[in-house]
Amino acid sequence: MMILSGPPPRGRTLQTLIVVVTLALALAPLLFPGAKPLNVAAKVCVYALLGASYDLLLGYAGMVSFAHVMFFGVGSYGVGLALYGLGPSWGAAALGLAAALGVSTVLALAIGLLSLRVQAIFFTMVTLAVSYAFGVLASQLDWLTGGEDGRSFRVPEVLQPGFRLFGGPLFGVAFNGRLISYYLVFFVSLALFLALLRVVNSPFGRVLEAIRENPLRAEALGYRIVFHRTLATCLAAAGATAAGALNAVWLRYVGPDTALAGSIQIAILVVVVIGGMGTLYGAVLGAAVFVVAQNYLQALLGALSAGAADAGLPLLTGLFHPDRWLLWLGLLFVLAVYFAPAGLVGALRSKDEATP
Amino acid sequence: MTASDFGAALPRPKRDLLPIFAPLIVAAIAAPFIGSASSFVTLTAAGVAMGMMIFTMASGLTLAFGMMDVLNFGHGAFISLGAYVATLVFTPLASWAQADSWPLNLALLALALAAAVVVCGLFGLVFERLVIVPVYGQHLKQILATIGGSIVAEQLLYALFGPDVIALAPPASFRGSFVIGDAAIEKYRVVATLVGLVVFVGLTLALNRTRIGLLIRAGVQDREMVEALGYRIDRLFVGVFMAGAALAGIGGVLWALYRQQVHASMGGELLVLCFIVIIIGGLGSVGGCFIGAILMALIDNYAGFLAPKLALVANILLMVAILLWRPRGLYPVGGR
């Protein structure tokens, strides 16, 4: 059976890069020991899945949604609150995930059926409003969600840091609960990514692309636009919900900052656009670039800011302040939209195809 | 043959009055739940004032979309910028704000509004040239570019004015309340309502009584036809976009004085309300935008009183109800 459905990533550099990133993520605990690199790797996995599911909407269906972070939050809160309320068992996690998937699907259906009847632009505005209201609601219902403080919870025993799989270290690596947690995140993300790849290379995915390119013509051929777009919204929502659940289990905490912040939605957009829309593989590269940049760019900006302060340039000091890293990412985002709409993936492909 | 003869020859457009009564119906339904008459008057006055401010911000957005299909997700940055401009005017002229003389206070407010109009209008021009022109007519790219532009603009505001909330008190004679019977109506809300009314009347007159307004309305209905008649609608659009940015700036000043604080995140929050309003009103319709703003603000205030945590959810439910009733909003425009 083919694991990779559909065309492989074209271009040698791109293929190599994808393989390198996947291998680096698979072997992250062995290659880069320590808590911070493992955190970075887990975040790359979560964002790759989040970005890939968003790409189904943005790149394949051609719809801009602001609600992806909401579905991410539904998954986070579903699993987090179930583990918090029912105790650390797999049953509780499964129940939470099932409930979250149900809520996400209902919300996605409602948004799609309500806003896609008239014009795709309605969809964008409605997702923004609903997602914003959901975020406010989640932080206000503090008896349920813990409000701004969020909830810290315990995960099933196998995933707890104190758990040891083989009693002692193997190959010089301690197989503890964190490592098992990481591999849970990695393998679930990988499996769902492959599933999404299957979706976009299915007839359904082709119809989505047809609708994106020419809605009138697709409708004339007999494809129901509202049905296909709504189904895409539901599938993307399910992907985001799963990513949220993984993130909550990895952090063992759920709160507005990690599950529902507006900056997460911006991050998703940046990941997909910089990686390359409509390619899915772009989400993997974009996630790797984004998360690494987020973790190490701030240090660089801090150094630049200090340099500017020494040189007596107050304006530059403000612009290079580490908290302003979104400014530079935003600039990169706008430039990517103008000059490289196919993102990293497109740039790598055209480079390889120009020099065969 | 005069223009009125042409008008007489045409069948009169059917007046659609039902949406106009929607705010009254909402008020009538909410009244028994609120109970006391004085609270009802206070809440209604607050709702009307809030609606006027939201309308001021949202009117430019809906016109720009109607004319050129440009939906600007960076509109929130204009609102925030207007608010920051108000702090720049109010800080050096603090003595004018402290003085208990209403002409001086009014002059200060007018100065702040004028400064916001100029700064936001010019920023709107820059934004249109830099962010929107390269992606005219490409919907997806346009949405993405304006989102990116709004991120950059918001971060620039943080870099220029600092990340902290800036306090901004309204001028002395606009503080306190008018007390009518048991009902208290904040003076500043009356001022904001009046400014909003001036904007609404001015906009309506400009659109309905001037030649440029006629061209704008025609452009909203059918852009290609207006172009075919030889008008440079893209130039007209630049003007509409700048005016929309300036109106957003006015709204930002009013809102900042209303909330008595300024922060760059306010633009994003208000943009959500603006979107709800223009969806309810019908994309491209100024009248619909006005009714939608009043309707949404009334519900926001009533719900905020009855169930404070559900105020925003009530707005979403309102939007859902309106879209189920009229899928294109209260006043659909043209082929949309």
Side-chain angles (χ1 to χ4, degrees):
Chain A
M1 196 191 95
M2 284 263 295
I3 296 181
L4 288 175
S5 54
R10 297 196 315 266
R12 182 164 296 159
T13 323
L14 181 60
Q15 280 170 354
T16 321
L17 257 178
I18 295 284
V19 170
V20 165
V21 170
T22 314
L23 278 180
L25 287 175
L27 303 175
L30 311 170
L31 295 174
F32 320 102
K36 195 186 174 191
L38 203 59
N39 246 329
V40 171
K43 211 168 170 190
V44 172
C45 293
V46 168
Y47 270 94
L49 174 58
L50 202 52
S53 56
Y54 192 65
D55 200 21
L56 179 65
L57 278 183
L58 183 63
Y60 287 87
M63 296 147 59
V64 182
S65 163
F66 281 98
H68 216 59
V69 64
M70 176 177 80
F71 298 123
F72 181 74
V74 168
S76 295
Y77 272 103
V79 169
L81 295 181
L83 286 173
Y84 177 82
L86 303 175
S89 69
W90 288 107
L95 189 70
L97 182 61
L101 283 173
V103 170
S104 284
T105 311
V106 169
L107 278 172
L109 263 179
I111 292 177
L113 291 180
L114 187 76
S115 63
L116 288 171
R117 288 188 298 168
V118 181
Q119 227 187 351
I121 195 89
F122 266 54
F123 177 80
T124 307
M125 294 198 279
V126 169
T127 53
L128 179 65
V130 171
S131 169
Y132 183 75
F134 188 88
V136 172
L137 193 67
S139 64
Q140 280 182 343
L141 295 178
D142 42 11
W143 56 270
L144 177 67
T145 61
E148 294 293 331
D149 297 333
R151 297 275 194 221
S152 289
F153 52 88
R154 286 155 57 82
V155 287
E157 200 201 339
V158 184
L159 303 178
Q160 282 169 14
F163 181 81
R164 293 279 180 277
L165 189 57
F166 300 116
L170 203 66
F171 309 120
V173 179
F175 274 78
N176 60 15
R178 287 309 274 167
L179 204 85
I180 300 171
S181 298
Y182 174 73
Y183 277 112
L184 177 75
V185 171
F186 173 74
F187 281 113
V188 174
S189 300
L190 185 66
L192 289 177
F193 180 82
L194 294 176
L196 281 168
L197 207 57
R198 184 74 193 81
V199 169
V200 299
N201 288 314
S202 70
F204 170 72
R206 290 281 175 275
V207 175
L208 279 187
E209 284 178 284
I211 293 175
R212 176 194 68 195
E213 291 303 321
N214 195 337
L216 271 179
R217 194 162 172 186
E219 195 163 32
L221 288 171
Y223 297 109
R224 280 173 300 162
I225 295 185
V226 174
F227 169 79
H228 280 89
R229 282 180 167 164
T230 306
L231 185 57
T233 311
C234 291
L235 287 174
T241 309
L246 290 178
N247 196 44
V249 168
W250 173 253
L251 294 175
R252 289 171 287 160
Y253 163 79
V254 55
D257 290 341
T258 61
L260 283 170
S263 57
I264 299 177
Q265 183 60 55
I266 296 176
I268 299 170
L269 274 165
V270 170
V271 162
V272 175
V273 170
I274 290 184
M277 288 181 273
T279 58
L280 275 210
Y281 294 107
V284 180
L285 293 187
V289 169
F290 175 81
V291 175
V292 170
Q294 189 185 21
N295 278 278
Y296 301 101
L297 182 77
Q298 280 172 309
L300 175 72
L301 282 178
L304 281 175
S305 175
D310 289 342
L313 300 165
L315 187 63
L316 282 184
T317 316
L319 289 178
F320 287 136
H321 191 279
D323 287 350
R324 296 285 81 76
W325 69 285
L326 258 180
L327 170 68
W328 301 99
L329 219 58
L331 271 178
L332 197 63
F333 178 81
V334 177
L335 293 178
V337 170
Y338 289 157
F339 301 114
L344 279 175
V345 167
L348 292 174
R349 274 181 186 164
S350 56
K351 178 176 152 286
D352 281 355
E353 278 158 14
T355 53
Chain B
M1 226 180 181
T2 62
S4 62
D5 292 332
F6 281 114
L10 291 168
R12 291 191 65 79
K14 215 171 72 184
R15 284 263 167 227
D16 182 9
L17 290 175
L18 202 54
I20 298 178
F21 294 112
L24 298 177
I25 297 169
V26 165
I29 293 174
F33 290 101
I34 291 165
S36 90
S38 59
S39 312
F40 178 73
V41 171
T42 306
L43 287 172
T44 308
V48 171
M50 181 181 167
M52 286 298 190
M53 287 186 264
I54 302 283
F55 164 74
T56 310
M57 299 168 203
S59 49
L61 202 58
T62 199
L63 266 184
F65 183 84
M67 275 185 82
M68 286 300 245
D69 270 4
V70 170
L71 189 61
N72 179 16
F73 284 83
H75 202 72
F78 302 149
I79 300 173
S80 306
L81 181 64
Y84 277 109
V85 170
T87 66
L88 289 184
V89 175
F90 270 65
T91 312
L93 299 174
S95 59
W96 289 24
Q98 298 302 327
D100 192 13
S101 88
W102 67 263
L104 210 53
N105 291 163
L106 203 61
L108 180 63
L109 181 64
L111 202 62
L113 291 177
V117 164
V118 172
V119 173
C120 292
L122 288 177
F123 181 65
L125 178 66
V126 173
F127 195 89
E128 203 261 352
R129 292 286 113 184
L130 281 184
V131 179
I132 296 181
V133 167
V135 286
Y136 260 143
Q138 301 162 289
H139 264 129
L140 190 68
K141 277 192 173 188
Q142 192 184 69
I143 295 173
L144 293 174
T146 54
I147 292 171
S150 80
I151 299 170
V152 173
E154 187 179 318
Q155 294 294 321
L156 278 177
L157 283 175
Y158 282 128
L160 286 175
F161 294 95
D164 301 320
V165 173
I166 302 176
L168 183 70
S173 52
F174 301 154
R175 294 171 207 163
S177 310
F178 296 115
V179 181
I180 306 163
D182 288 339
I185 298 173
E186 278 181 40
K187 287 180 188 168
Y188 180 70
R189 287 183 175 153
V190 178
V191 175
T193 308
L194 290 177
V195 176
L197 261 185
V198 169
V199 169
F200 176 65
V201 171
L203 205 56
T204 311
L205 285 180
L207 283 175
N208 291 313
R209 293 279 182 274
T210 67
R211 188 167 176 75
I212 288 188
L214 181 72
L215 284 174
I216 292 173
R217 281 186 300 135
V220 170
Q221 285 290 339
D222 192 337
R223 182 200 334 160
E224 284 175 3
M225 195 64 207
V226 177
E227 278 176 331
L229 291 172
Y231 295 101
R232 293 291 303 268
I233 201 157
D234 48 344
R235 288 194 192 155
L236 198 60
F237 172 74
V238 176
V240 170
F241 193 87
M242 286 175 69
L247 284 174
I250 291 181
V253 175
L254 292 177
W255 190 263
L257 288 167
Y258 171 61
R259 283 294 160 93
Q260 311 202 351
Q261 61 180 38
V262 177
H263 195 244
S265 64
M266 66 187 270
E269 292 162 18
L270 287 166
L271 187 65
V272 172
L273 297 183
C274 288
F275 277 162
I276 295 179
V277 162
I278 65 175
I279 289 176
I280 292 176
L283 287 175
S285 160
V286 173
C289 175
F290 183 73
I291 294 173
I294 301 285
L295 196 59
M296 189 215 68
L298 281 179
I299 292 207
D300 193 85
N301 276 279
Y302 295 150
F305 178 76
L306 295 170
K309 294 185 174 175
L310 296 179
L312 249 173
V313 178
N315 284 329
I316 301 290
L317 291 180
L318 169 74
M319 181 174 78
V320 171
I322 299 274
L323 286 184
L324 288 176
W325 177 33
R326 293 191 173 181
R328 291 160 195 272
L330 292 176
Y331 287 116
V333 174
R336 298 189 172 81

